[in-house]
Amino acid sequence: MIVTKFGGSSLASATQLKKVKNIITSNPERQVVVVSAPGKRDSSDYKITDLLYTLRSHFKYGIPDDGIREMIIKRYVTIKDELGLDIDIEKEINEFFASCSKKTNTATVVSRGEYFSARIVAKFLGFAFVDAADILTFNFDGKIDYEKSKQAVIEAVDKYGNIVVPGFYGAYPDGDIHLLSRGGSDVTGAWLAAFLDADVYENWTDVSGIYAADPRIAKGAKTIQTITYEELREMSYMGANVLHEDSILPCQKAGIPINILNTNEPTNAGTIITSEAVHLHPITGIAGKQGYVSFIINKEHCAGEVGFIYRLLSIFNKYDVSVEHIPTGMDTVSIVTYSDEVKNCTHKIVADIANEFDCEVYTEKDMALIALVGRQMQGSVGISAKIFEILRDENINVKMMVQTPDEMTLVVGVDDDELTTAIAALYEGLSEANLL
Ligand code: ASP
């Protein structure tokens, strides 16, 4: 059995939906279809999910919605009409909006994007519509109730055979909607694939696989044929955003390969993510992200002082901040975090550190981190030399560097402003040197 997931661009219009139908009907193994809400039809268009977030604010503050409702309804009705489907989607959506008040929460409103999308796709494919709220249960801490959900998903497939499920949400035990983070339909698909022990999880999008570097930055960047779960998790964590980072682990644990495919070019083999990927080069891909902050602490002999790091980390723990890296020197320690994590507590953390250690402490903002990922970097000589040579030739200052203990990832910190230049130069230089 194959579990498929189609992203917003694959569901944006009737034309796209016809491509989806061709893909599904060309292989009867494709029994389970997870859908996003309709995305943009072109660059000037809006994603239905973004419109729903905006609409919910209008509901909440009682402000007229400027025709947003109509835009949403029109999109679904146009798709339905162009496909000639016998389903009164306009009535369903209107009834939902009529039931909304100031109190209707974001999850309830926003999840309808995928809900109505799945209603249409199910009708078009002739598959059963199964509401995610009926099969995916989340505990009150937001974690999936694995066993209960697995049971329900298996039962749904046993009962209906072929199903369409809206992505991006499920329900708490009391029935309230639980929304995943943005791009979460990928995660829904991964869970379904794991629960059903699928042969493969196909993730259909608008690019033919995962690029070795962001092609908007690294011109002519190639796609990766195969990549391991671990490598992709590193790349996703560091900003490569083809697949939601939380969607990899469920498939990795269940040993299910993920295939990233292009709805607009369905014969392209795309990228396969497995445990045993074969690489031709030591580096598989480059990803990078702006917006890191470094808390720098200067105090004589601090690195050698027993319990110093422990006490320092307790301060970050107190503010529930996750720490990315801890570069240390004899008399200096720096804590690198993602700026979003500390946006409301930077000054409190600085004050706490200064009080606790009676030391000099300051922050350095606007750092970007670049991850060079490759399982075969392990034990290879000269790769970091080449990386630093490329950055030197571009006159880019390296603010920090870290290699993971398994030697799979090399992380380089540069100024935020230099991120794109650095990635472009690294992609070009490493490809030329046959290392990527
Ligand atoms: N529609 C949601 C989003 O735009 C979820 C998804 O597409 O995966 O984030």
Side-chain angles (χ1 to χ4, degrees):
M1 176 198 296
I2 299 172
V3 171
T4 61
K5 178 259 164 179
F6 290 87
S9 57
S10 306
L11 302 156
S13 64
T15 313
Q16 290 303 90
L17 268 156
K18 286 178 190 160
K19 295 179 190 170
V20 170
K21 189 169 188 173
N22 283 339
I23 290 165
I24 295 298
T25 50
S26 68
N27 186 345
E29 291 290 308
R30 295 185 173 123
Q31 283 179 258
V32 177
V33 182
V34 175
V35 295
S36 286
K40 293 182 181 193
R41 288 160 289 190
D42 53 58
S43 54
S44 63
D45 200 9
Y46 301 104
K47 287 181 170 193
I48 290 291
T49 304
D50 292 336
L51 293 173
L52 286 164
Y53 271 110
T54 315
L55 185 62
R56 145 76 183 150
S57 300
H58 285 272
F59 286 157
K60 185 175 175 195
Y61 299 108
I63 299 168
D65 74 38
D66 282 338
I68 295 174
R69 256 180 233 230
E70 282 64 40
M71 281 168 84
I72 295 170
I73 296 171
K74 194 171 167 210
R75 178 77 81 88
Y76 289 105
V77 171
T78 307
I79 294 175
K80 179 215 99 168
D81 285 347
E82 284 179 19
L83 296 176
L85 300 177
D86 180 21
I87 174 175
D88 199 346
I89 200 74
E90 185 167 4
K91 182 163 168 257
E92 287 190 28
I93 304 174
N94 272 323
E95 276 173 8
F96 170 69
F97 285 153
S99 74
C100 289
S101 70
K102 284 183 178 203
K103 289 188 188 147
T104 312
N105 64 26
T106 306
T108 304
V109 176
V110 173
S111 64
R112 295 309 90 181
E114 323 329 84
Y115 177 92
F116 294 123
S117 180
R119 295 279 299 135
I120 288 186
V121 175
K123 190 82 192 169
F124 185 45
L125 296 178
F127 283 18
F129 166 81
V130 175
D131 191 353
D134 294 334
I135 52 171
L136 294 183
T137 306
F138 292 85
N139 300 320
F140 287 108
D141 62 4
K143 295 212 173 82
I144 186 122
D145 182 333
Y146 202 90
E147 285 312 318
K148 188 170 177 199
S149 303
K150 180 175 175 173
Q151 191 66 31
V153 169
I154 292 172
E155 275 169 21
V157 174
D158 280 351
K159 184 167 173 195
Y160 300 111
N162 297 332
I163 61 170
V164 176
V165 181
F168 195 30
Y169 72 95
Y172 291 108
D174 62 4
D176 279 356
I177 297 290
H178 170 72
L179 200 63
L180 303 174
S181 56
R182 292 300 303 259
S185 301
D186 285 345
V187 186
T188 308
W191 278 323
L192 263 53
F195 296 154
L196 294 164
D197 196 18
D199 295 310
V200 55
Y201 169 32
E202 291 181 345
N203 192 292
W204 292 86
T205 175
D206 53 4
V207 286
S208 295
I210 296 164
Y211 287 93
D214 185 338
R216 290 166 302 181
I217 300 173
K219 297 287 168 243
K222 59 187 177 191
T223 49
I224 299 168
Q225 284 175 356
T226 57
I227 183 168
T228 65
Y229 301 111
E230 290 88 353
E231 288 171 319
L232 185 61
R233 278 173 58 217
E234 290 277 356
M235 283 185 64
S236 301
Y237 188 62
M238 290 299 296
N241 61 3
V242 180
L243 199 62
H244 192 297
E245 59 174 291
D246 294 344
S247 61
I248 305 166
L249 210 50
C251 290
Q252 180 175 359
K253 282 189 177 158
I256 294 162
I258 307 171
N259 195 357
I260 310 287
L261 292 151
N262 187 350
T263 303
N264 305 315
E265 207 192 325
T267 51
N268 191 311
T271 300
I272 304 261
I273 306 150
T274 60
S275 52
E276 290 300 328
V278 184
H279 297 316
L280 303 172
H281 305 291
I283 301 176
T284 309
I286 307 175
K289 210 152 97 173
Q290 290 171 318
Y292 288 88
V293 186
S294 209
F295 291 78
I296 298 166
I297 297 108
N298 293 329
K299 189 171 173 14
E300 259 177 40
H301 302 301
C302 62
E305 195 180 310
V306 174
F308 183 89
I309 302 281
Y310 172 75
R311 281 159 60 211
L312 184 56
L313 288 179
S314 310
I315 295 172
F316 287 85
N317 189 33
K318 176 173 146 194
Y319 293 101
D320 203 21
V321 170
S322 80
V323 167
E324 300 289 328
H325 298 287
I326 317 177
T328 56
M330 270 287 280
D331 303 326
T332 179
V333 173
S334 106
I335 302 278
V336 180
T337 69
Y338 194 48
S339 51
D340 270 4
E341 294 257 341
V342 291
K343 63 175 186 269
N344 298 321
C345 55
T346 303
H347 297 114
K348 289 182 192 147
I349 291 176
V350 169
D352 280 10
I353 296 173
N355 287 339
E356 172 80 16
F357 299 106
D358 189 19
C359 63
E360 188 195 9
V361 43
Y362 60 97
T363 57
E364 227 178 71
K365 295 187 180 120
D366 307 325
M367 180 159 76
L369 296 185
I370 300 171
L372 297 113
V373 181
R375 213 165 48 131
Q376 277 160 226
M377 276 206 285
Q378 201 179 42
S380 301
V381 176
I383 297 175
S384 27
K386 186 67 196 169
I387 290 169
F388 294 119
E389 184 192 311
I390 294 168
L391 294 174
R392 182 206 59 199
D393 290 350
E394 282 299 318
N395 210 15
I396 290 173
N397 176 39
V398 174
K399 295 181 145 198
M400 188 202 86
M401 58 191 119
V402 181
Q403 182 168 300
T404 54
D406 57 7
E407 295 179 39
M408 193 177 78
T409 306
L410 215 126
V411 179
V412 182
V414 300
D415 202 274
D416 257 353
D417 293 343
E418 293 184 317
L419 176 70
T420 50
T421 319
I423 290 183
L426 285 167
Y427 181 79
E428 200 187 324
L430 292 168
S431 306
E432 265 169 30
N434 222 11
L435 293 171
L436 173 79

